[in-house]
Amino acid sequence: MSLRAELRVVRDRFRLDVDLDVAPGEVVALLGPNGAGKTTALRALAGLTPGGRVRVDGAAWDGLPVRRRPVGVVFQDYLLFPTMSALENVAFGLRARGVRRAAARAEAARWLERVGLAAHAESRPRALSGGQAQRVALARALATGPRLLLLDEPLAALDAGTRVHVRAELSRHLGEFTGHTVLVTHDPLDAMVLADRLVILERGRVVQEGTPAEVARTPRTDYVAHLVGLNLYRGVAEGGTVRLDGGGVLTVAEPADGPVHVAFPPAAVSLFPQAPAGSPRNTWPVTVAGVEQHAHTTRVRLDGAPPVLADITTATLADLRLRPGDALWAVLKATEVRTYPITGAGGG
Amino acid sequence: MSLRAELRVVRDRFRLDVDLDVAPGEVVALLGPNGAGKTTALRALAGLTPGGRVRVDGAAWDGLPVRRRPVGVVFQDYLLFPTMSALENVAFGLRARGVRRAAARAEAARWLERVGLAAHAESRPRALSGGQAQRVALARALATGPRLLLLDEPLAALDAGTRVHVRAELSRHLGEFTGHTVLVTHDPLDAMVLADRLVILERGRVVQEGTPAEVARTPRTDYVAHLVGLNLYRGVAEGGTVRLDGGGVLTVAEPADGPVHVAFPPAAVSLFPQAPAGSPRNTWPVTVAGVEQHAHTTRVRLDGAPPVLADITTATLADLRLRPGDALWAVLKATEVRTYPITGAGGG
Amino acid sequence: MIRDRPLVLVLPALAGLAFLVVPLLGLLVRAPWAELPARLFSAEVGNALRLSLVCASLATALCLVLGVPLAWLLARGDVPGRGLLRALVTVPLVLPPVVGGVALLLVLGRRGLVGQHLEAWFGVSLPFTTAGVVVAEAFVAMPFLVIAVEGALRAADPRYEEAAATLGASRWLTFRRVTLPSVAPGVVAGAVLCWARALGEFGATITFAGNFPGETTTMPLAVYLALETDPDAAIVLSLVLLLVSVGVLAGLRDRWVGGAG
Amino acid sequence: MIRDRPLVLVLPALAGLAFLVVPLLGLLVRAPWAELPARLFSAEVGNALRLSLVCASLATALCLVLGVPLAWLLARGDVPGRGLLRALVTVPLVLPPVVGGVALLLVLGRRGLVGQHLEAWFGVSLPFTTAGVVVAEAFVAMPFLVIAVEGALRAADPRYEEAAATLGASRWLTFRRVTLPSVAPGVVAGAVLCWARALGEFGATITFAGNFPGETTTMPLAVYLALETDPDAAIVLSLVLLLVSVGVLAGLRDRWVGGAG
Amino acid sequence: SSAPDGTTVTVYAAASLTEVFTGLGADFQAANPGARVSFNFGGSSALAQQIGQGAPADVFASASPATMEQVAAEVDRPVTFARNRLEIAVPGGNPAGVTGLADFGRAEARIALCAERVPCGAAAGEVFRAAGITPRPDTLEQDVKAVLTKVRLGEVDAALVYRTDVRAAGGEVEGIGFAEAERAVNDYPIAPLKRASPRGRQFVDFVVSQAGRAALTAAGFDVP
Ligand SMILES: Nc1ncnc2c1ncn2[C@@H]1O[C@H](COP(=O)(O)OP(=O)(O)OP(=O)(O)O)[C@@H](O)[C@H]1O
Ligand SMILES: Nc1ncnc2c1ncn2[C@@H]1O[C@H](COP(=O)(O)OP(=O)(O)OP(=O)(O)O)[C@@H](O)[C@H]1O
Ligand SMILES: [Mg+2]
Ligand SMILES: [Mg+2]
């Protein structure tokens, strides 16, 4: 069973008209430029803004008041209750579900610890920094174990290091999560690491959707092309190498262990007619599957183990005279490859 | 004359102790993990939080009430006046300076246009999306022509496309700006493109400061090393090539014209014993100036035109047996290089 | 948007409403309806009603002009001894109105501390004039405005005022454009309280301003006089006053009372 | 943090303060100070004062229990005819208090609409009892609480309540933990108004509850009687009432009045 | 409230009787050991309202026959136990030099009177008609106390009030008698309620007794 939503919201100067399907356990990333309607879509799903129809696991949510919808929302501006401490904010949802005070506080404390804020449990939101507040908001939304998670840019205010940590924690959580998740983000990396499927909105409509790989392979608008410039794989890491699920082995700079996402931008892939000697650790034979011209770059789809996207300049394209079926060597520096553990915390 | 600040703020669980110097026209980026004290430092500079002493252009600001300080602040949570339209928000500062209503509104409209929000001039903040609100906040702070600009993550909520545009606009503005700017950001690219100098805070103290290049060359903490993984140059672009101010020419994928920043990560640089044939457009001879070992990667400082940082794996290091003075070929794909116009709007 | 309403709130709310409104029903049942039209359209009642409305509105205006700044001073002014000041503001509330009227006479009467100079220098004498009615009503009603507005100011987020300060706004501009609009619902609530209290004011008014038809006889004074001889007439007059007041207040467009809600 | 205060606000604020406080000075000047200690420590005054404080506090408690939910219903309840309801709430404000007392008698008196059943079924009779004093004071004072709290609720950001709803909180829990704390300054302001008004209540009390020393004679009633015989004594009694009230209100720790400020 | 248990007498009395009746009550208790008198002083009309609503009163002493009439159904044969006559009241020292009723017609004098609807106003009206004077009042007060307050504070130059009030005000107010006062006296009726205990009737008897008359006379009332 899954979530089916037909969202229709009309505002003064804006109209949202989006159909959304989310399978159980699936994470859908909602992407799009400012004012595209991402926040509005989340609000409609939560029931905060009336409009359209939502069915989850076969049950219609339309008549359901917000508080009876098993949702967890991270608001773009957090909306932490200013009169409660961080701990009380996180415990609030549990208390609302009838969990006893002591148990709720203990559970809330565990969540704060998970997002690295154990030391700020007693702080009021006004005494938290922006990034700290965002982490409390995330903990608050996750603590109630909702069926539908709605995350509005949940990592935007985090510093790079915390972001890696929280992203990994969130990824682990979402990996185990059997409910539905809709995640709004401006960061393609968040989207590709955390989401199973991307839905891209522009001006209140879906302009493209698909798995990160599909969208990356055939971006339909400039916004999408700009956004999804990443090669992304799953694999199992062992020290400095990752054995990819779809075949192929990549050498990475930062050792990791266990299941990981592996990502690098198409621009990081160099193409050589012959296998070169030099610093790059990853060199493997590929054949050209297709060539797409964008504004200033050319995206080359290459088959191989792994298959890969490479961005090259138009001048290079002319030099190499690429045609489908041509055999080449793909070269990738290990330091260009980022890994993100799929389960278990720890930095990428 | 310049800005000299000794900021001392004591909070429950936190103490800020930062000395800051900003030359006229200089842009200082304040970086640091969540809760490091960046927002607190900006508040102290604006006079909103008492603590320490601030001298600007020879005048002590200590007794000065907030409203007499010629500052422009973009707050992390925007703080747009909820009872005014976007236009009125931007016009407010001008009105406060005695500009007549019609003139103030016209000027405000120009600013809204510059941040791409002409269509939302009459919207109340509650009817703006997160990114739109942030742009209004930026316009509001810039419109009064302050001597000291304090920007708290001014681009965090913007989508990738808008961000490029607004960053360019901001960069152009800051380039012409003769006042002092302190910018808080979590995005290293924003920092390196917009700032002349980085000041890195951790736990309320300065742990490192210097130009982006200096900091990148000798990162003193893991946070810094993680953050500033960029080679950054200034140069003049002409179509697909950029002539760097410090010597050297780089080929770039996206044509540009005029003065630009050029940036690429150290990881994008490959090192070869001989000049290879292949897709990468940029190949130039370098000599090893130094080698630094970090957790999982090795950062190699290379002299040449341009001088460059390259990150390689420890395995590669062993393979190439690098020593200072060794001659190598640096190889860089044009698609890895990003350019950011220094003046004049337009996407990177 | 959220339709379900918890009984634990709705039941006391309805009980409260009943408590306030049912006594009115008692009056309605008791009122001699046959007399009502005659009363309503008598010149005497017309005069008193007009005077009541004019004086209550003027008193409210006076209270707004003096009381809103006072509320601001208490909430934001950083003045020493604020708790005591706030308590002093409630003095006219606690003072029995007749004593309040006496106090006004002691100060503003023709032999009063200030009044004797007013009379000597400006030839102004407040007692027994319509202006005196306004003063008496304002004195009794102002605390409602001040306390209500101060409460609203305290609940407002002061960081918007910080933002205004960074934009170079003086405290006056900030107050006018940022603070005041954001507490507008509180000011409206205070003004409603103030107006209604002024409209019903009796003790201080009759003591300070006296009772002269067309000049100082407001509806409550007329009601009291009627009570002495003809209680049913007094009830009718009260109902007329109520009707008009409820009409005026219900007619306040929701936009003015609106605000964030 | 911002020290400079604009004259355009400070001057009217001080004028307002003077307007409220100077009449008190008039009373102080006039008061027969020599009598004060004797009065203060007389059993009669002690009784009246104690009764006043107890009744005003009970009335305020009653108003809080019924009035805060009513304010919530008006501000958030999405009820039809809200403008009219809000106007009806102000009825006891506009009604001259003596008429209010008559209305209460008509409804809750022994022969009243509701009172006769109260008496027949439960043997409860409110008029002329201490409970009656509380009822009369609550009737007159409740509008202050309701209107002040409603104003505060309207100024509060409803999006926090949305956030609470997404966390599964019932409207009651949301009200208790989210809404109420955020409008606490408004509730305190309303309660202060309510308490002070109840403390000074005279007309409705003497009409509904009568004037029985030790049982229903509150300070304002004592003042009224003293006015009949010894006006100076009335002033002293008023000052005693004031002193106690100002003392209580000034003693409210700033924390309770505090809130966001 | 004090139940009519036969030992407590609950007396509803006009506020202007506060001082006299408080004294009489003490005397009554002294004369009738075991009896207790409990007073409810207030405006006559408010008291009448309360009695009309079934208030537990034993005795009602009103300041005007009209208010007694309002509760005619509840009481037994009212009797007039006191009369009050009007006097001219002027502030101490008589700053405006008022000498008689004629001054009430002067435009420049500030004059306070009771409103026509209340007993003292009705009486004043009769007095002026008898004297052939058209008064030019500045205010028509709702009761004598309000008039008296204005005299005491010097807000008015002259007023018509009851003699008892002038007496009670002490030195701050001077009284000036005049002949026409005889033409308009205000009667104070008293009556036991129909449901009153014997003690109630006993109290009424006490008020009209010799002791009661003496106390009333001392307070400035005329007694019939
Ligand atoms: N309450 C409202 N009333 C009227 N228009 C609104 C309201 N809320 C949002 N809008 C408009 O609807 C559009 C979509 O807003 P929304 O907040 O959903 O954008 P978003 O995709 O979340 O953008 P961002 O990335 O900037 O957060 C915007 O143009 C906005 O101005
Ligand atoms: N009003 C306050 N009272 C007490 N502590 C505070 C207050 N404001 C901030 N702090 C604490 O001071 C520290 C620094 O906060 P600050 O907001 O300056 O961080 P920041 O560097 O801006 O972080 P971020 O990147 O998350 O915005 C934090 O630990 C925070 O909890
Ligand atoms: Mg949004
Ligand atoms: Mg911050």
Side-chain angles (χ1 to χ4, degrees):
Chain A
M1 306 300 263
S2 70
L3 178 147
R4 273 200 78 85
E6 294 159 23
L7 308 175
R8 310 276 178 274
V9 179
V10 180
R11 287 273 162 78
D12 305 354
R13 254 181 299 274
F14 177 78
R15 165 190 296 272
L16 183 80
D17 187 348
V18 166
D19 290 352
L20 209 59
D21 288 285
V22 188
E26 192 185 27
V27 179
V28 168
L30 222 50
L31 296 128
N34 292 134
K38 306 180 293 297
T39 298
T40 307
L42 289 199
R43 287 180 59 87
L45 283 171
L48 293 170
T49 297
R53 6 180 78 250
V54 180
R55 292 186 73 83
V56 180
D57 301 342
W61 274 16
D62 303 325
L64 225 52
V66 178
R67 67 187 181 80
R68 295 208 192 284
R69 301 187 180 200
V71 296
V73 185
V74 172
F75 292 90
Q76 198 166 3
D77 46 0
Y78 327 146
L79 293 181
L80 296 181
F81 305 126
T83 52
M84 299 182 202
S85 70
L87 188 77
E88 288 165 340
N89 261 282
V90 179
F92 183 82
L94 295 166
R95 298 283 289 142
R97 277 167 179 70
V99 178
R100 296 197 163 276
R101 201 179 135 79
R105 289 179 71 92
E107 175 73 10
R110 269 193 295 282
W111 273 104
L112 282 181
E113 177 129 27
R114 242 174 270 185
V115 296
L117 283 180
H120 291 271
E122 294 309 323
S123 299
R124 290 285 165 105
R126 286 237 176 100
L128 292 176
S129 80
Q132 290 163 347
Q134 191 162 58
R135 281 182 270 161
V136 174
L138 187 60
R140 184 175 73 171
L142 296 177
T144 57
R147 290 295 300 155
L148 171 58
L149 257 181
L150 302 168
L151 311 174
D152 204 347
E153 308 194 27
L155 309 176
L158 306 190
D159 70 76
T162 308
R163 191 171 183 130
V164 165
H165 173 74
V166 173
R167 190 198 285 129
E169 175 70 27
L170 188 59
S171 161
R172 193 189 64 71
H173 185 84
L174 294 179
E176 294 168 0
F177 184 55
T178 58
H180 318 273
T181 306
V182 181
L183 165 81
V184 169
T185 178
H186 287 308
D187 184 336
L189 199 58
D190 287 347
M192 305 193 96
V193 169
L194 296 173
D196 302 307
R197 196 150 50 84
L198 310 186
V199 172
I200 291 145
L201 297 188
E202 288 185 33
R203 280 183 227 90
R205 285 170 196 276
V206 176
V207 295
Q208 186 164 9
E209 61 179 302
T211 64
E214 282 163 18
V215 173
R217 228 163 279 274
T218 53
R220 281 211 209 115
T221 72
D222 270 2
Y223 170 80
V224 181
H226 200 273
L227 189 76
V228 292
L230 270 189
N231 285 294
L232 191 84
Y233 310 88
R234 277 167 176 259
V236 180
E238 214 185 305
T241 58
V242 180
R243 190 161 303 278
L244 304 181
D245 293 355
V249 176
L250 288 180
T251 303
V252 295
E254 297 170 22
D257 273 299
V260 288
H261 282 289
V262 178
F264 51 88
V269 179
S270 307
L271 298 178
F272 291 85
Q274 288 93 31
S279 70
R281 293 282 93 188
N282 297 298
T283 306
W284 72 103
V286 291
T287 54
V288 176
V291 176
E292 276 150 29
Q293 191 66 43
H294 288 114
H296 304 304
T297 60
T298 304
R299 185 158 289 178
V300 186
R301 281 188 284 128
L302 300 150
D303 287 337
V308 68
L309 299 175
D311 279 359
I312 59 176
T313 58
T314 318
T316 310
L317 181 69
D319 269 13
L320 295 180
R321 293 206 202 98
L322 295 184
R323 286 147 183 270
D326 282 2
L328 292 166
W329 290 87
V331 174
L332 172 69
K333 292 187 60 197
T335 48
E336 291 267 24
V337 182
R338 297 253 172 268
T339 59
Y340 307 93
I342 293 174
T343 55
Chain B
M1 307 300 263
S2 69
L3 178 147
R4 272 198 78 84
E6 293 158 24
L7 308 174
R8 309 276 178 275
V9 180
V10 180
R11 287 272 163 79
D12 305 353
R13 255 180 297 273
F14 177 78
R15 166 191 296 272
L16 182 79
D17 187 347
V18 167
D19 290 353
L20 209 59
D21 288 285
V22 188
E26 192 184 29
V27 179
V28 168
L30 221 51
L31 296 129
N34 291 133
K38 306 180 294 296
T39 298
T40 307
L42 289 199
R43 287 181 59 87
L45 284 171
L48 292 170
T49 298
R53 4 178 80 251
V54 180
R55 292 185 73 82
V56 180
D57 300 343
W61 274 15
D62 304 323
L64 225 54
V66 178
R67 68 188 180 81
R68 295 207 192 284
R69 303 187 178 199
V71 296
V73 185
V74 172
F75 292 90
Q76 197 165 4
D77 45 0
Y78 327 146
L79 292 181
L80 296 180
F81 305 126
T83 51
M84 300 182 201
S85 70
L87 188 78
E88 286 165 342
N89 261 283
V90 179
F92 183 82
L94 296 165
R95 297 284 290 141
R97 278 165 178 70
V99 177
R100 296 196 164 275
R101 202 179 135 80
R105 289 179 71 92
E107 174 71 10
R110 269 193 295 282
W111 273 104
L112 282 181
E113 176 129 28
R114 241 174 268 184
V115 295
L117 283 180
H120 291 272
E122 293 310 324
S123 299
R124 290 285 166 103
R126 285 237 178 101
L128 292 175
S129 80
Q132 290 163 345
Q134 191 163 58
R135 282 182 269 160
V136 174
L138 188 60
R140 185 175 72 170
L142 296 176
T144 57
R147 290 294 300 153
L148 171 58
L149 255 180
L150 302 168
L151 310 174
D152 204 345
E153 309 194 24
L155 309 176
L158 306 189
D159 70 77
T162 308
R163 191 170 183 132
V164 165
H165 173 75
V166 173
R167 191 198 284 128
E169 175 70 27
L170 189 60
S171 161
R172 193 189 63 71
H173 185 85
L174 295 179
E176 293 167 0
F177 184 55
T178 59
H180 318 272
T181 306
V182 181
L183 166 81
V184 170
T185 176
H186 288 308
D187 185 336
L189 200 58
D190 287 347
M192 305 193 95
V193 170
L194 295 173
D196 302 307
R197 197 151 49 83
L198 309 186
V199 173
I200 291 144
L201 298 189
E202 288 185 33
R203 279 183 229 90
R205 288 172 192 274
V206 175
V207 294
Q208 186 164 9
E209 60 178 303
T211 62
E214 282 163 18
V215 173
R217 226 163 283 274
T218 54
R220 281 212 209 116
T221 72
D222 270 1
Y223 170 79
V224 182
H226 199 273
L227 189 75
V228 291
L230 269 188
N231 285 292
L232 191 84
Y233 309 88
R234 274 166 179 260
V236 180
E238 215 185 304
T241 60
V242 180
R243 189 161 305 277
L244 303 182
D245 292 356
V249 177
L250 288 180
T251 303
V252 296
E254 299 170 23
D257 272 300
V260 288
H261 282 289
V262 180
F264 52 87
V269 180
S270 307
L271 299 178
F272 292 86
Q274 288 93 32
S279 70
R281 294 281 94 190
N282 297 298
T283 306
W284 73 102
V286 291
T287 54
V288 176
V291 177
E292 276 149 28
Q293 192 65 46
H294 288 115
H296 303 303
T297 59
T298 304
R299 184 159 290 178
V300 187
R301 279 189 286 127
L302 299 150
D303 285 339
V308 68
L309 299 175
D311 280 358
I312 58 176
T313 58
T314 318
T316 311
L317 181 70
D319 267 13
L320 295 178
R321 291 205 203 101
L322 294 183
R323 286 145 184 273
D326 282 2
L328 292 167
W329 289 86
V331 174
L332 172 69
K333 292 186 58 197
T335 48
E336 290 266 24
V337 183
R338 297 257 170 267
T339 58
Y340 307 94
I342 294 175
T343 55
Chain C
M1 104 223 99
I2 317 170
R3 293 254 154 214
D4 59 328
R5 292 190 279 263
L7 280 188
V8 63
L9 282 175
V10 168
L11 288 186
L14 292 182
L17 196 62
F19 181 44
L20 293 178
V21 173
V22 168
L24 183 62
L25 290 185
L27 289 184
L28 290 176
V29 167
R30 168 79 178 238
W33 289 105
E35 280 187 41
L36 188 60
R39 291 272 172 191
L40 246 178
F41 299 110
S42 80
E44 196 188 339
V45 169
N47 270 344
L49 198 54
R50 191 183 43 73
L51 193 70
S52 285
L53 292 175
V54 167
C55 289
S57 302
L58 286 177
T60 305
L62 182 64
C63 289
L64 282 169
V65 169
L66 301 183
V68 172
L70 182 53
W72 173 85
L73 196 70
L74 289 178
R76 293 277 199 276
D78 231 351
V79 286
R82 198 162 55 169
L84 183 65
L85 279 186
R86 185 185 303 119
L88 281 177
V89 164
T90 61
V91 161
L93 244 82
V94 180
L95 215 54
V98 171
V99 177
V102 170
L104 283 176
L105 281 177
L106 288 174
V107 171
L108 295 173
R110 71 173 169 174
R111 295 193 193 162
L113 297 177
V114 178
Q116 59 193 6
H117 303 298
L118 280 183
E119 176 115 39
W121 297 341
F122 308 106
V124 173
S125 172
L126 288 173
F128 312 119
T129 62
T130 307
V133 176
V134 174
V135 167
E137 291 184 351
F139 175 69
V140 171
M142 195 153 102
F144 299 108
L145 186 88
V146 175
I147 302 284
V149 173
E150 199 216 343
L153 281 173
R154 288 180 162 277
D157 189 342
R159 293 192 316 140
Y160 290 103
E161 294 167 24
E162 293 184 357
T166 68
L167 289 164
S170 65
R171 291 191 90 177
W172 166 235
L173 182 67
T174 304
F175 174 77
R176 207 156 43 85
R177 293 288 315 278
V178 178
T179 314
L180 205 52
S182 81
V183 298
V187 174
V188 171
V192 164
L193 285 176
C194 184
W195 187 78
R197 179 71 184 86
L199 198 65
E201 213 309 296
F202 161 71
T205 307
I206 196 160
T207 306
F208 181 63
N211 172 39
F212 199 81
E215 207 164 331
T216 62
T217 301
T218 57
M219 282 297 278
L221 271 58
V223 168
Y224 267 88
L225 288 174
L227 261 180
E228 290 293 327
T229 49
D230 182 357
D232 285 347
I235 290 179
V236 171
L237 288 180
S238 301
L239 286 179
V240 169
L241 182 62
L242 273 191
L243 208 79
V244 171
S245 140
V246 166
V248 169
L249 293 180
L252 277 186
R253 299 219 345 244
D254 237 19
R255 200 162 74 77
W256 299 339
V257 192
Chain D
M1 95 229 98
I2 319 171
R3 293 251 154 218
D4 60 328
R5 291 189 280 263
L7 280 187
V8 63
L9 282 175
V10 169
L11 288 185
L14 293 181
L17 195 62
F19 180 43
L20 293 178
V21 173
V22 168
L24 182 62
L25 290 184
L27 289 183
L28 289 176
V29 167
R30 172 77 183 223
W33 289 104
E35 281 187 38
L36 188 61
R39 289 271 173 191
L40 244 178
F41 299 111
S42 80
E44 199 187 334
V45 169
N47 271 343
L49 198 55
R50 192 183 42 73
L51 194 69
S52 285
L53 292 175
V54 167
C55 289
S57 303
L58 287 176
T60 305
L62 182 63
C63 288
L64 281 169
V65 169
L66 302 183
V68 172
L70 181 52
W72 172 87
L73 196 69
L74 289 178
R76 293 276 198 275
D78 231 350
V79 285
R82 198 162 55 169
L84 183 65
L85 280 187
R86 186 186 302 118
L88 280 177
V89 164
T90 61
V91 161
L93 245 81
V94 180
L95 213 55
V98 170
V99 178
V102 171
L104 283 176
L105 275 178
L106 290 175
V107 171
L108 295 173
R110 287 194 184 179
R111 300 183 189 168
L113 297 178
V114 178
Q116 59 193 7
H117 304 298
L118 280 183
E119 175 115 40
W121 297 340
F122 309 106
V124 173
S125 172
L126 287 173
F128 318 114
T129 63
T130 307
V133 175
V134 174
V135 166
E137 291 184 349
F139 175 70
V140 171
M142 196 153 101
F144 299 107
L145 187 88
V146 175
I147 303 283
V149 173
E150 200 215 343
L153 281 173
R154 287 178 163 278
D157 189 342
R159 292 192 316 140
Y160 290 104
E161 294 166 25
E162 293 183 357
T166 68
L167 288 164
S170 65
R171 290 191 91 176
W172 167 236
L173 182 68
T174 304
F175 174 77
R176 210 155 43 84
R177 295 286 317 277
V178 178
T179 315
L180 205 52
S182 80
V183 298
V187 174
V188 171
V192 164
L193 285 177
C194 183
W195 187 79
R197 179 69 185 87
L199 199 65
E201 213 311 294
F202 162 70
T205 309
I206 198 169
T207 307
F208 182 62
N211 178 16
F212 294 98
E215 208 165 332
T216 66
T217 302
T218 56
M219 282 297 277
L221 270 59
V223 169
Y224 168 77
L225 281 188
L227 267 177
E228 290 290 332
T229 51
D230 181 357
D232 285 344
I235 290 180
V236 172
L237 288 180
S238 300
L239 287 178
V240 169
L241 181 62
L242 271 192
L243 208 79
V244 171
S245 140
V246 167
V248 168
L249 292 180
L252 277 185
R253 298 212 355 239
D254 237 19
R255 199 164 74 75
W256 299 337
V257 193
Chain E
S1 79
S2 39
D5 52 11
T7 61
T8 300
V9 187
T10 304
V11 178
Y12 280 39
S16 51
L17 296 169
T18 304
E19 214 155 32
V20 187
F21 267 39
T22 306
L24 278 179
D27 294 347
F28 180 74
Q29 284 177 180
N32 298 278
R36 236 177 61 70
V37 185
S38 138
F39 287 108
N40 180 21
F41 292 113
S44 298
S45 63
L47 296 177
Q49 284 281 353
Q50 292 172 3
I51 290 168
Q53 285 300 316
D58 295 308
V59 177
F60 180 33
S62 161
S64 75
T67 40
M68 187 59 85
E69 212 117 287
Q70 286 176 26
V71 294
E74 313 270 341
V75 298
D76 275 344
R77 292 165 289 105
V79 296
T80 299
F81 70 98
R83 292 208 166 94
N84 218 341
R85 69 174 69 208
L86 294 177
E87 236 176 42
I88 297 172
V90 297
N94 194 0
V98 172
T99 56
L101 272 188
D103 290 304
F104 284 76
R106 274 164 47 197
E108 71 278 10
R110 269 215 195 154
I111 304 297
L113 295 176
C114 285
E116 286 277 359
R117 306 190 78 135
V118 301
C120 66
E126 271 175 45
V127 163
F128 285 117
R129 268 191 294 282
I133 292 168
T134 308
R136 309 176 67 159
D138 293 271
T139 175
L140 300 167
E141 300 285 322
Q142 135 258 12
D143 62 26
V144 175
K145 292 303 157 191
V147 174
L148 204 64
T149 300
K150 298 200 167 56
V151 178
R152 286 177 46 237
L153 297 178
E155 288 300 330
V156 295
D157 299 317
L160 279 190
V161 301
Y162 289 119
R163 198 164 73 188
T164 52
D165 299 307
V166 175
R167 185 88 43 107
E172 285 179 302
V173 174
E174 291 176 14
I176 302 172
F178 56 94
E180 291 85 350
E182 296 294 346
R183 304 283 298 272
V185 288
N186 187 41
D187 292 344
Y188 281 63
I190 189 168
L193 272 80
K194 285 181 175 154
R195 57 174 177 273
S197 60
R199 284 269 197 228
R201 294 164 200 282
Q202 215 174 329
F203 182 79
V204 174
D205 293 342
F206 185 74
V207 170
V208 299
S209 74
Q210 202 53 47
R213 295 162 66 95
L216 286 162
T217 310
F221 287 99
D222 293 333
V223 285

